[in-house]
Amino acid sequence: MSRIESVLSSPAARDVGPTVLRVALGAVFLAHAGAKAFIFTFAGTAQFFEAHGFPGWTAWPVFLAELLGGLALVAGFRTRWVALGLVPVMLGALKPHLANGWMFTNSGGGWEYVAFLLLALVAQALLGSGAYALDGARARHVAPSGRTASAPTP
């Protein structure tokens, strides 16, 4: 086994992989929430949603899901549940893009990027939080009985 293979198969690397995915997904969802608020505006986003058969008011819950979901993913808070909770958002995002073909570079954006994000969320739910997550900090402080354990003494 080469040195690179050794490093990549180490327990530390196995913990960092889900972390990289989690933070990247969180950043994407934060960017999409920001685009709805600051680039397209809420009125423009609602108009886009209506043009694709969704009620305009659903722009707000989608914005909140992307904003809060993105923050939770970056922080590693309830990662598995948040990733699963964002799956319906991405399923809804498929609808406007399906008719545009595979490539996201197509006019109107194809569905490959949306499908990738959807599958990445499923992978995140399966992998868990990884390292440097609030989920891990919480797990270290909760005893198997569910009661809070005392912090280890140095």
Side-chain angles (χ1 to χ4, degrees), residues 40-151:
F40 305 119
T41 74
F42 291 113
T45 302
Q47 186 178 20
F48 177 83
F49 278 33
E50 288 170 350
H52 293 284
F54 297 105
W57 63 266
T58 59
W60 282 98
V62 168
F63 164 77
L64 287 172
E66 290 175 345
L67 176 66
L68 298 176
L71 289 170
L73 286 171
V74 168
F77 179 72
R78 306 234 187 246
T79 301
R80 292 178 193 266
W81 289 109
V82 170
L84 290 175
L86 287 168
V87 164
V89 173
M90 296 315 299
L91 287 172
L94 275 174
K95 184 179 180 191
H97 297 287
L98 280 174
N100 301 333
W102 168 250
M103 293 299 293
F104 203 73
T105 55
N106 290 349
S107 178
W111 56 273
E112 49 119 351
Y113 183 61
V114 178
F116 172 78
L117 289 175
L118 178 61
L119 294 174
L121 287 169
V122 171
Q124 188 73 69
L126 294 170
L127 290 168
S129 303
Y132 313 109
L134 291 178
D135 288 343
R138 183 179 176 275
R140 285 190 297 277
H141 291 10
V142 176
S145 66
R147 289 177 282 163
T148 302
S150 59

